[in-house]
Amino acid sequence: MDILQLPPVNWQRMSDAVDRVRQRLLHVSACLKKAGVPYAVIGGNAVAAWVSRVDEAAVRNTRDVDVLLRRDDMPAAIAALSHAGYVHRRVASLGGGAMDVFLDGADGKIRDAIHVLFAGEKPKDHSSHPNADVTESEDAGEFMLISLPALVRMKLASWLEKDRMHLRDLADVGLLDRSIVDLLDSSLGERLIQILENPE
């Protein structure tokens, strides 16, 4: 794209983009709660929620919504979210395999979708540890938030570049330190030490 043809910077569009993610998270959470489907908000929004409890200026925006569900609850989740206008798809995952997503309507984009991870399952075949269970969560008022220990374990197990960035965000506001290392198995503990010793 020719940068000379780009429209001018629009602060309202930037603000609206952030707000749309928030509204989608709250809407999806309300739909799942109404349908009695256990879930937990995970991923970048969970990191932002935890970071905001310490320093709202350190919050990093994210473009999509990640939720943790039990596979047995997927039919109920599909019914609830389809009724609310979301469109279920199975799409290719960046790490290989397929991923379940809910598009924001028939014309929704994957980058704006709700991404589903399954509780107790490895997110990728090569992942070192399974995902947490939805019971490892707390009521954050407007949604169920994955617990900090479970979030940290999942980020350490996934170990993608964005996961390491999120772990550094948590460490930067004092939510992670060496006292947590003893609560992890050796492989995850070694990864956390890498994060703590290389904050940049």
Side-chain angles (χ1 to χ4, degrees):
M1 179 182 291
D2 186 348
I3 61 173
L4 297 179
Q5 301 300 316
L6 290 174
V9 172
N10 185 315
W11 286 102
Q12 187 60 51
R13 289 183 66 190
M14 294 168 64
S15 176
D16 289 347
V18 173
D19 192 55
R20 277 194 296 273
V21 175
R22 176 182 174 274
Q23 292 301 326
R24 190 174 298 120
L25 183 156
L26 297 179
H27 186 231
V28 167
S29 298
C31 290
L32 293 173
K33 180 179 180 180
K34 183 178 179 180
V37 177
Y39 76 96
V41 171
I42 56 175
N45 284 295
V47 173
W50 279 105
V51 168
S52 71
R53 298 170 77 165
V54 180
D55 184 358
E56 62 183 19
V59 171
R60 189 187 302 271
N61 294 321
T62 187
R63 67 188 184 188
D64 56 22
V65 176
D66 297 316
V67 296
L68 186 69
L69 297 172
R70 289 176 177 150
R71 188 174 289 277
D72 288 348
D73 291 326
M74 193 60 177
I78 292 173
L81 296 180
S82 296
H83 182 73
Y86 295 96
V87 177
H88 175 245
R89 293 279 187 273
R90 281 185 61 77
V91 300
S93 167
L94 289 177
M99 176 174 59
D100 286 85
V101 301
F102 289 94
L103 303 177
D104 196 359
D107 297 325
K109 300 175 182 178
I110 297 296
R111 70 177 61 182
D112 299 327
I114 296 100
H115 298 168
V116 176
L117 272 72
F118 290 111
E121 299 184 13
K122 290 184 177 182
K124 306 277 190 312
D125 289 340
H126 64 270
S127 297
S128 60
H129 293 71
N131 294 322
D133 189 64
V134 292
T135 57
E136 295 184 78
S137 60
E138 63 178 63
D139 190 342
E142 295 179 292
F143 57 90
M144 294 301 296
L145 174 65
I146 193 73
S147 72
L148 183 59
L151 176 62
V152 171
R153 289 199 317 271
M154 289 175 65
K155 289 291 178 183
L156 288 169
S158 180
W159 203 236
L160 299 174
E161 182 178 349
K162 68 176 181 179
D163 300 306
R164 295 192 292 273
M165 175 188 71
H166 285 152
L167 289 163
R168 289 189 176 97
D169 287 348
L170 293 168
D172 187 54
V173 296
L175 288 170
L176 297 183
D177 59 33
R178 283 183 173 269
S179 67
I180 300 175
V181 172
D182 293 336
L183 304 178
L184 302 168
D185 72 22
S186 59
S187 60
L188 297 187
E190 289 170 3
R191 289 179 175 181
L192 181 55
I193 289 172
Q194 287 183 47
I195 293 295
L196 296 174
E197 292 183 348
N198 299 277
E200 297 302 324

